[in-house]
Amino acid sequence: MSLENTSVNKSYGGWTKHYSHHSEVLNCDMRFAIYLPPQTANGQKVPVVYFLSGLTCTDENFIQKAGAQRMAAELGIAIVAPDTSPRGDDVADDEAYDLGKGAGFYVNATQAPWNRHYQMYDYVMNELPQLVEATFPVTDHRSIFGHSMGGHGALVMALRHPDRFKSVSAFSPIGNPVDCPWGQKAFTAYLGEDRSTWAEYDASLLMRKASGAVPALVDQGEADNFLAEQLKPETLEAAAKASGYPLELNRREGYDHSYYFIASFIDDHLRFHAKHLSA
């Protein structure tokens, strides 16, 4: 699979790069960002953390706003940030911000017209890691984290595939999408009216019955405008309590849903992942 390097910026001794490539899974051209820490300059392979962004975001938001490069350079870990949905003129879309482009929800769509392109689950789980590991100096030790819609995606992937990830974390995740407006709208469009198919993409439902455990860290701002209606962290807490899942959930007074919140605690999350990636 051919990659086109579209930008390069040196940062904390390493390199922040953007690439485009054709995705067979998504049937369109895609972009992703990668930060390669200075340890890779001599060919040393490093573990990699995947970051999944939230609604309306692209591959650029996290890599530009989170301030993750300094700690990633210190810890010697790579970061990969994919886009949030398929892109292109022939890709199905919706006028609303919470459906279509920028709102892929990290599921494999089964309903037309979305199923032609919206296979973000398989893209993030399989196609992108295969490409990254074949191209860049990274090991097959992976962790995953995300924000909001991306926090939902990260938790779901780690819960469904505990053998694939060393750790998982999330900022302000959509914890119970089957029971919130964002999730219900997206799942109805992408997955159809049969709600039994939605459960495999709901972190709270998956955590409640989890058999394998990936260490999990969640940070939630108490001043988040979406807290009560959309995010519902209490459902994750209840699920973890019911199953004994190793979840650490921190409620952060005064913090909202923005990248100011993410940047404030990004070092904690990267240290958390580095600890488990090196174990």
Side-chain angles (χ1 to χ4, degrees):
M1 186 183 299
S2 61
L3 279 175
E4 179 185 357
N5 181 211
T6 58
S7 70
V8 179
N9 298 96
K10 192 167 186 178
S11 181
Y12 296 99
W15 298 94
T16 297
K17 302 183 178 185
H18 283 85
Y19 288 88
S20 64
H21 71 102
H22 182 76
S23 167
E24 296 294 336
V25 169
L26 301 178
N27 193 28
C28 66
D29 291 339
M30 290 293 287
R31 285 169 48 94
F32 68 90
I34 185 169
Y35 178 69
L36 295 170
Q39 292 85 347
T40 63
N42 60 4
Q44 177 183 336
K45 289 190 174 184
V46 297
V48 59
V49 183
Y50 291 83
F51 184 87
L52 308 184
S53 293
L55 287 166
T56 75
C57 291
T58 69
D59 54 299
E60 295 184 347
N61 294 75
F62 173 82
I63 213 75
Q64 292 179 356
K65 295 180 179 181
Q69 287 91 334
R70 181 186 61 81
M71 184 54 64
E74 179 180 320
L75 297 170
I77 57 178
I79 302 175
V80 173
D83 203 347
T84 51
S85 75
R87 306 280 178 174
D89 293 340
D90 63 339
V91 173
D93 198 10
D94 189 89
E95 292 182 356
Y97 76 95
D98 53 359
L99 187 67
K101 295 177 187 178
F105 264 83
Y106 305 102
V107 303
N108 287 336
T110 58
Q111 306 299 302
W114 311 103
N115 55 348
R116 183 165 181 260
H117 296 285
Y118 285 74
Q119 306 294 314
M120 286 298 294
Y121 189 90
D122 280 351
Y123 175 71
V124 173
M125 274 299 305
N126 299 308
E127 187 178 33
L128 183 59
Q130 290 170 9
L131 175 61
V132 167
E133 290 168 19
T135 306
F136 301 101
V138 299
T139 69
D140 61 359
H141 285 204
R142 312 176 200 93
S143 290
I144 191 166
F145 65 151
H147 172 229
S148 194
M149 176 185 73
H152 136 76
L155 288 168
V156 166
M157 291 182 191
L159 286 161
R160 288 176 58 176
H161 300 276
D163 57 320
R164 296 284 298 276
F165 300 103
K166 300 293 186 180
S167 53
V168 60
S169 72
F171 297 93
S172 315
I174 303 172
N176 191 204
V178 303
D179 193 31
C180 79
W182 279 341
Q184 290 170 346
K185 180 177 181 178
F187 287 3
T188 300
Y190 298 144
L191 305 174
E193 298 286 350
D194 181 2
R195 294 196 172 205
S196 66
T197 65
W198 298 6
E200 61 183 321
Y201 295 110
D202 187 292
S204 291
L205 298 180
L206 292 168
M207 189 174 288
R208 186 171 286 273
K209 64 178 185 180
S211 55
V214 177
L217 169 67
V218 170
D219 272 301
Q220 174 62 62
E222 290 281 72
D224 192 317
N225 290 337
F226 304 111
L227 179 61
E229 183 181 29
Q230 303 283 11
L231 306 180
K232 301 187 176 183
E234 65 276 4
T235 64
L236 284 173
E237 289 178 312
K241 183 177 180 180
S243 64
Y245 199 89
L247 169 68
E248 176 186 347
L249 195 152
N250 302 309
R251 295 176 181 268
R252 305 294 189 178
E253 182 180 357
Y255 286 92
D256 58 20
H257 200 71
S258 71
Y259 268 86
Y260 295 108
F261 170 50
I262 295 174
S264 297
F265 297 100
I266 188 65
D267 287 359
D268 293 347
H269 283 243
L270 292 175
R271 290 191 188 100
F272 169 79
H273 292 302
K275 172 185 175 182
H276 294 287
L277 285 164
S278 63

